[in-house]
Amino acid sequence: MELFDQVPQFKAVEKEADTLLGYSVKALCLDDPDNRLSQTQFTQPCLYTVNMLHYFKRIADGGAPPAYLAGHSLGEYNALLAAGAFDFMTGLALVKKRGELMMRAKNGGMAAVIGLNSDRIAEFLEEYRFDSLDIANYNSPSQTVVAGPLLEIERATGILNDLPGCRCIPLPVSAAFHSRYMNEVSEAFAEFLDPFEFDEIRTPVISNVTGRPYPMGAGSQGIKALLVKQISHSVKWTESIRYLMGKGASVFEEIGPGIVLSRLNQQIQKETLPLIIDDEKDDPDSTSGTAGITAKKSDNGGATRSDVDSLSWRVSEKHGRPAERKIAPTSLGDPTFRKDYGIKYAYLTGSMYKGIASKEMVIAMGKAGLIGFLGTGGLRLDEIASAIQEIQAALDEGQAYGMNLLCDLSRPQLEEQTVALYLKYGVRKIEAAAYMQVTSPLVKYRLTGVHRAADGSIVCPNRILAKVSRPEVAAAFMEPAPIKLVEKLVADGQLSEMEAELGKSIPMAQDICVEADSGGHTDQGVAYVLMPAMLSLRDEIMSRYAYESPIRVGAAGGIGTPEAAAAAFTLGADFILTGSINQCSVEAGISDAVKDMLQEMDVQDTAYAPAGDMFELGAKVQVLKRGLFFPARANKLYELYQKYDSLEQIDEKTKNQIQEKYFKRSFEQVWEETRNYYLKDYPQEIEKAEKHPKHKMALIFKWYFVHATRLAMKGSEVQKVDYQVHCGPALGAFNRWVRGTELESWRHRRVVDLAERIMQGTADLLDRRFAAFTAEEVQ
């Protein structure tokens, strides 16, 4: 009541407005016993009037003039009113006619789709052949409105609500607004507009149709053309706000009742990047609104509802410096990856063997809305089972966790037993590492439980994240399971015919983690070379197989600072995975003595050594070298293995050095311990060693690698120089980054804090970089 009485501009035209409408706007807004406000021919004039009252009251209260104006659907008329294109009564006549014409359209409906980005919705409409449905509103990165025949809206709603993470809500409207079904209304409105003349726009107004400003100086014809199109074209609200962000807009003020657009705008600012364009070269109509985009968008948000005929907006601009980009950590990486894994950041902690990536680490990550993978390599099956049960008991339903599955060429049966354990306990996410080819246990894990949903889509309960550093290995994981392995599993009764058939239509791994030079096993790959090659390979394979869901490619190796993470995301990574930095944290399952060493290391303090588990093959691991003899001694052992065919061929001086300095015991003692170990579970290794002296030498030398790991895990003060500590230079970079802060000491480093620091730091860094680029453009 007070609002109507406080605005002089309305009091002056109230009687004229009532005469034009044939009813009192004030009375209808304050008292609506017949529920007429739910009908669009009444809603539009009333909403236009109330928005006007709010705007003029704000001006009367001393509000600063806007730099830009924008309105959602009907709100665009209020924006044009505020920009001086026409007066209140002219605008009222326009919206009255608009509402009456739109009310004539029947048998149509609209629905808000929440949780899927617009590209995915377009794919859905095409895939399910909803040719009669149009996208009406691009409201936010994760809220899109579709429109069309009512029966088709109802059918689509049922299917969409069965999709994971998606909600589809029918809207209480009488027609399919902002779609092709309004073409006749547009034509009739064009005839109505013909005699009107409009003034020049004084303040830029963003058009729903183009997502760009109305052409300044275009006059009446330019305004009319866009108003006519607006009725039957999509509302590009997300693009409009991104355009304004790119122009330096940093303060958005909603004018009118409610905060619908404020919520949508917060999501857009949070989940997308500014749209940086050259207005002189931009032609949104000819390029579907994508011309001049220089920043990758991340379409994911969380708006909760749609309002087809919403309010006008005022946008203020900070002058004198580029706009503040509000890139959020949650906007980095691929949104579908975050949704599929149930995590808030596209950030994972990778596995580290012997439980260094401990159950405490996995639980901490899960409770924080993130995911970590347990380092199961080198653990007994009963230890893995116990850890799984503890993790599952500690985490609530929906909180994410994963397990590592490490390829073991010498003990393939261990892989089978581990997969059986994962299936038994319902482990749905694994990190597959050190594989050179796809194996039968991997196929069994991936395809077990694969089925079709009610909508016909393929559901894969078990996810594999494959860590790779070679294109040929990546290709094996990107392709469907090898037919011969699948047929063998079916013949053995381990997979059903249906699972085998559906397996032809899905990749072995939906997520490929490209591992550049890193701690532990490494091919010493370079991220700047690997990532483009893997992304190109992904695109080639996606084109070949046309999978329902895209393969995602992430990055690992060398990521220990925001700069490194930003580089990974800029290269196109859909997610990042960290390793070495987490080894120097409270939750890491390694000795305090090792953590004390690690927190002092620098970027140059690592070296390459033979991998104990693949010693004979010459595979390499990256290890800590500062203050340690292990790298040099391990390389010496491998050099001797390559040179000689037996221990007896090695000179006495060297043999004595190994036994006295390296092993601290005789070869005979080492062989006795090794023999007893292998006889228990792998007697074939002993049989082979007794026939082949070189193999016996290898088993004795490999004992040193196991021993060096045990020393490090226990933090033994004896033979401290022989610690084997897998680590990459990323930790040295991290140590430099946090020097002088509370995180300088590992005792204050918790894995969740590290994740937050890395991701927030990455978002802040990209904010600053984009701001700097914009500043250069302005200058």
Side-chain angles (χ1 to χ4, degrees), residues 61-81:
D61 291 342
Y68 296 92
L69 292 155
H72 188 293
S73 192
L74 175 75
E76 191 165 313
Y77 287 79
N78 287 102
L80 289 167
L81 168 65

Side-chain angles (χ1 to χ4, degrees), residues 197-498:
E197 291 296 330
F198 300 130
D199 296 327
E200 290 297 333
I201 294 173
R202 296 191 296 267
T203 303
V205 176
I206 309 302
S207 165
N208 288 174
V209 175
T210 65
R212 308 287 190 274
Y214 275 74
M216 300 296 282
S220 296
Q221 294 308 312
I223 296 174
K224 291 177 187 179
L226 288 173
L227 287 181
V228 168
K229 284 186 177 181
Q230 193 222 45
I231 293 175
S232 56
H233 283 60
S234 304
V235 175
K236 296 180 179 179
W237 190 251
T238 298
E239 189 169 329
S240 298
I241 299 306
R242 290 185 62 214
Y243 171 86
L244 291 170
M245 291 161 61
K247 289 301 177 184
S250 58
V251 178
F252 293 80
E253 181 181 343
E254 184 166 358
I255 305 299
I259 55 171
V260 174
L261 295 183
S262 295
R263 289 173 177 170
L264 293 179
N265 186 58
Q266 287 170 4
Q267 291 297 326
I268 296 167
Q269 288 182 290
K270 180 180 180 182
E271 305 298 341
T272 69
L273 297 179
L275 188 58
I276 310 296
I277 67 170
D278 182 345
D279 283 328
E280 294 182 359
K281 298 179 180 179
D282 185 44
D283 182 2
D285 282 336
S286 66
T287 59
S288 300
T290 60
I293 294 178
T294 59
K296 175 185 175 184
K297 71 177 180 179
S298 176
D299 285 340
N300 184 39
T304 57
R305 61 181 289 259
S306 168
D307 191 328
V308 177
D309 288 317
S310 195
L311 320 175
S312 65
W313 270 62
R314 168 192 167 266
V315 184
S316 296
E317 181 178 32
K318 290 185 177 180
H319 298 282
R321 64 184 181 89
E324 296 179 5
R325 267 74 176 176
K326 296 184 178 178
I327 300 174
T330 51
S331 69
L332 300 172
D334 186 86
T336 66
F337 180 85
R338 299 194 301 271
K339 184 178 73 172
D340 289 347
Y341 280 77
I343 54 180
K344 64 180 181 179
Y345 300 149
Y347 177 104
L348 308 87
T349 57
S351 63
M352 291 174 282
Y353 77 145
K354 285 283 187 181
I356 294 175
S358 63
K359 59 181 180 292
E360 290 80 12
M361 188 179 294
V362 174
I363 291 169
M365 291 292 286
K367 285 184 175 295
L370 298 167
I371 185 172
F373 291 89
L374 182 74
T376 60
L379 298 183
R380 300 189 313 271
L381 287 173
D382 63 313
E383 292 176 319
I384 298 173
S386 176
I388 292 173
Q389 293 176 70
E390 287 189 50
I391 291 168
Q392 290 177 338
L395 296 179
D396 296 333
E397 185 176 353
Q399 292 180 326
Y401 70 93
M403 299 287 140
N404 171 242
L405 186 64
L406 191 64
C407 181
D408 192 330
L409 298 175
S410 63
R411 297 177 294 175
Q413 66 270 34
L414 180 60
E415 184 186 355
E416 295 178 5
Q417 294 167 342
T418 306
V419 164
L421 192 68
Y422 292 163
L423 293 175
K424 174 183 176 181
Y425 285 101
V427 174
R428 297 304 186 191
K429 301 174 181 68
I430 66 168
E431 176 204 80
Y435 283 87
M436 298 301 292
Q437 61 186 15
V438 171
T439 63
S440 182
L442 272 176
V443 174
K444 180 181 178 181
Y445 176 82
R446 175 60 167 162
L447 298 189
T448 296
V450 173
H451 64 280
R452 284 198 183 276
D455 62 4
S457 62
I458 298 176
V459 178
C460 308
N462 300 326
R463 294 187 175 278
I464 295 176
L465 184 144
K467 292 174 72 174
V468 301
S469 53
R470 300 184 183 185
E472 69 271 18
V473 180
F477 277 101
M478 291 179 183
E479 293 175 344
I483 294 176
K484 289 185 178 180
L485 295 182
V486 175
E487 290 176 344
K488 181 68 166 57
L489 288 167
V490 172
D492 293 343
Q494 298 188 63
L495 287 177
S496 69
E497 293 284 355
M498 183 188 72

